Amino acid sequence: MQFTRADFPDDFLFGAATSSYQIEGHGFGGAGPTHWDSFAATPGNVVRAENGAVACDHYHRWAADLDLLRGANLDVYRFSTSWARVLPEGTGTPNPEGLDFYDRLVDGLLERGLKPAVTLYHWELPAPLADKGGWRNRDIAGHFADFTETIMGRIGDRVWSAAPINEPWCVGWLSHFLGQHAPGMRDIRATARAMHHVLLAHGTATQAMRAMGMTNLGAVCNFEFAAPADQGAEAARAARLYDAYYNRFFLSGLFRGEYPDAVMEGFAPHMPAGWQDDFEVIRAPLDWLGLNYYTRKLIAPDAGAWPGHHEVAGPLPKTAMGWEIHPDGLLHFLTWVDRDFTRGLPLYVTENGMAAPDLLRDGAVDDQPRIDYIDAHLAAVRQALDLGVPVKGYFTWSLLDNYEWALGYDKRFGLVHVDFDNLERTPKASYHALARALAR
Ligand code: IFM
C-alpha cells in the first residue's frame, strides 16, 4: 500500500463496514422473517435463490471477527442492527436474544479499543411491516422511531456514532423503481413514496436519538458519478437527471428542505399528500455525513418513459461487479458535498471497496487489485483534505466476503476471505497491507 496512517491527520479514523443481513446469519437467534427472505425465495430475484439465513455465521463467530478488526489496526467498526432480530414482528415485543447480541457486540468492540459506529437499518425490513406496504406506508416512520428507541435504549449509551438508514437511494429507487432489491417493485408511485418516507423515517429516528441524549448522529448516502455517454446535449441532460435522483434528491431533502425540480417532473403526481410539510422533521440537525462511493455511470438518453435514459458500458477498468474504477469521482463528491450542502460538517467515506474473483491458494489470497483500489481512493481523500474538505475517516467495504444481495455469495468484497462451505476466514493480502499501513 502506498499510504500509511502518518499521511493523514492524527484524528483521521480508519474503519471497516459490514451489515447485519449480509454477515450475521438471519436464521439464528429468534429473528423474525424479512422481505429479503421472501424476495430471495422467489425465483429469478437472487442468484441461485441464495439468502442470508447463514451468511458468514457472524452471529456465532462475532468475537473472532472483532479480533480480525483489531488485528487490522482499525479504529472503528461500522455495522448495522437488524430490525427483525430486535423486533421479530417489526413492532411490539422485543426479542431478548437479539438485544443481547448487539449488547455483547458493542461491549466486545469497546473491550478491543474499537469505536462502534451503528447503522440502524441496512435493508432487511421485517415481513409484517412489508405486508403493510413497507416504505410506501407513511406509518413506517413511526414504527422506525419505535425500533430506534428499543435498540438504542439498550446500546445507545455506548455507541460512538449512529446513522438511521444506509443508502436511501437503494431503499427507494433500486428496490421500488428498478426492482433489483426487495421488495422488487417497478412502480413510480411506490418509488416516490418510498423515497420520501425513507427520509421522514431518517428524521423521526434522529429526533428519537436526540431525545435520548445521543450525540454524533449522521446520515449515510450513496453516490455515483454520472457522466454523459456522448458529447450531445441530450446525453448531458440525461446525466443531470440521473445525478438529480441519485445524488441530489436525498441531500436536498436533508440539508435544504426541498427536492430537485428535475426529479419532481417525474414524481409530482405520485407524492404522498402533505409531503412538503415533512421537511422540518427530515432536516433534523446532523453531526456528520457519510458518503458511500464505488463507481461512475455513463448515461445515454432514450425515448422511453421518464426518466428516459439508460446506462451504457464505459471504457475504464472494472471490478467484478462490472463497475468502472473512477477515484476522481470520490474527490468530486467530497468537494461538492462540502461546498453545496454540508459546509464544514465532518464527512466520512463510510463505504468504498471492490469485488474481485479472489482465489484462496495455499492458505493465502493475493488481491493486489483491491490494494490498488483502496490506495487510489485514499489518494482522492488526501487530495480533498489538501483542498480543505473536512474528511474525518475512511471505511473499507467490507471486513468479510458476504451476501451481496441479488448477486448472492459470488461477489467478494472482503479484506478477509470467507469459505462459504466451512465458513473459515482467511485474511487476504489487502488485510495484511492495511494492517501494516495502519500500525501505530
Ligand atoms: O454490499 C453493498 C452494501 O450492502 C451497501 N453498499 C454497497 C455494497 C456493495 O454493493
Side-chain angles (χ1 to χ4, degrees), residues 161-221:
S161 73
I165 292 161
N166 185 65
E167 299 183 353
W169 180 86
C170 294
V171 178
W173 192 276
L174 187 67
S175 307
H176 294 83
F177 198 75
L178 302 181
Q180 293 174 14
H181 277 193
M185 294 192 69
R186 288 169 45 75
D187 183 280
I188 193 168
R189 181 177 169 92
T191 309
R193 281 152 196 263
M195 283 176 61
H196 180 67
H197 293 150
V198 80
L199 282 180
L200 185 61
H202 160 90
T204 56
T206 303
Q207 288 181 334
M209 290 190 283
R210 290 275 181 225
M212 298 171 86
M214 290 178 62
T215 55
N216 207 16
L217 307 182
V220 174
C221 297

Side-chain angles (χ1 to χ4, degrees), residues 19 22 122-123 166-167 292 294 321 323 351 397 402 404-405 413:
S19 90
Q22 291 179 275
H122 196 129
W123 307 353
N166 185 65
E167 299 183 353
N292 294 356
Y294 291 88
M321 296 291 279
W323 294 347
E351 281 184 30
W397 183 270
N402 60 45
E404 180 54 26
W405 305 111
F413 275 91

Side-chain angles (χ1 to χ4, degrees), residues 272-290:
W275 61 272
Q276 295 94 335
D277 302 332
D278 289 332
F279 285 117
E280 202 182 317
V281 178
I282 291 172
R283 293 184 75 179
L286 296 177
D287 303 312
W288 53 270
L289 181 77

Side-chain angles (χ1 to χ4, degrees), residues 79 95 141 153 238:
F79 65 98
N95 167 26

Side-chain angles (χ1 to χ4, degrees), residues 69-120:
L69 289 164
R70 188 179 51 182
N73 295 316
L74 294 164
D75 309 305
V76 52
Y77 176 48
R78 178 171 176 256
F79 65 98
S80 74
T81 50
S82 164
W83 189 341
R85 181 179 297 293
V86 171
L87 294 171
E89 296 294 320
T91 57
T93 312
N95 167 26
E97 273 186 72
L99 288 170
D100 289 350
F101 173 70
Y102 294 114
D103 202 31
R104 282 195 301 272
L105 193 69
V106 168
D107 281 345
L109 286 164
L110 295 174
E111 280 159 17
R112 289 165 179 79
L114 290 153
K115 297 180 193 308
V118 181
T119 305
L120 282 153

Side-chain angles (χ1 to χ4, degrees), residues 284-313:
L286 296 177
D287 303 312
W288 53 270
L289 181 77
L291 293 84
N292 294 356
Y293 175 78
Y294 291 88
T295 189
R296 76 164 184 174
K297 291 285 165 62
L298 296 190
I299 309 300
D302 62 39
W306 187 92
H309 61 226
H310 60 276
E311 295 172 21
V312 297

Side-chain angles (χ1 to χ4, degrees), residues 131-397:
D131 295 342
K132 292 181 182 144
W135 291 103
R136 289 176 290 145
N137 182 343
R138 182 183 178 84
D139 293 348
I140 194 92
H143 296 316
F144 189 57
D146 293 343
F147 161 58
T148 301
E149 282 173 7
T150 305
I151 181 64
M152 288 309 179
R154 186 67 178 268
I155 63 174
D157 57 335
R158 281 156 293 143
V159 303
W160 172 73
S161 73
I165 292 161
N166 185 65
E167 299 183 353
W169 180 86
C170 294
V171 178
W173 192 276
L174 187 67
S175 307
H176 294 83
F177 198 75
L178 302 181
Q180 293 174 14
H181 277 193
M185 294 192 69
R186 288 169 45 75
D187 183 280
I188 193 168
R189 181 177 169 92
T191 309
R193 281 152 196 263
M195 283 176 61
H196 180 67
H197 293 150
V198 80
L199 282 180
L200 185 61
H202 160 90
T204 56
T206 303
Q207 288 181 334
M209 290 190 283
R210 290 275 181 225
M212 298 171 86
M214 290 178 62
T215 55
N216 207 16
L217 307 182
V220 174
C221 297
N222 52 327
F223 298 87
E224 278 188 0
F225 189 88
D230 60 50
Q231 306 298 315
E234 283 306 300
R237 199 193 58 80
R240 277 199 303 276
L241 179 53
Y242 187 94
D243 183 63
Y245 65 72
Y246 203 119
N247 302 315
R248 285 194 278 126
F249 184 87
F250 301 100
L251 291 184
S252 301
L254 292 170
F255 294 100
R256 293 183 181 165
E258 63 185 25
Y259 293 140
D261 290 343
V263 183
M264 294 319 289
E265 277 172 24
F267 275 9
H270 309 292
M271 293 294 282
W275 61 272
Q276 295 94 335
D277 302 332
D278 289 332
F279 285 117
E280 202 182 317
V281 178
I282 291 172
R283 293 184 75 179
L286 296 177
D287 303 312
W288 53 270
L289 181 77
L291 293 84
N292 294 356
Y293 175 78
Y294 291 88
T295 189
R296 76 164 184 174
K297 291 285 165 62
L298 296 190
I299 309 300
D302 62 39
W306 187 92
H309 61 226
H310 60 276
E311 295 172 21
V312 297
L316 302 178
K318 298 181 184 62
T319 72
M321 296 291 279
W323 294 347
E324 285 191 303
I325 301 174
H326 184 58
D328 283 352
L330 180 57
L331 176 61
H332 160 78
F333 283 119
L334 290 169
T335 50
W336 170 73
V337 164
D338 179 52
R339 188 192 64 221
D340 284 10
F341 292 95
T342 53
R343 304 201 174 154
L345 212 60
L347 301 181
Y348 293 87
V349 178
T350 32
E351 281 184 30
N352 177 244
M354 70 176 281
D358 301 320
L359 291 177
L360 183 60
R361 280 202 195 97
D362 302 327
V365 179
D366 175 7
D367 62 339
Q368 186 62 41
R370 179 169 292 104
I371 297 174
D372 297 341
Y373 183 100
I374 294 173
D375 256 336
H377 288 81
L378 278 169
V381 172
R382 190 52 269 179
Q383 277 178 279
L385 285 165
D386 292 341
L387 292 169
V389 180
V391 195
K392 298 294 183 189
Y394 171 92
F395 294 71
T396 304
W397 183 270

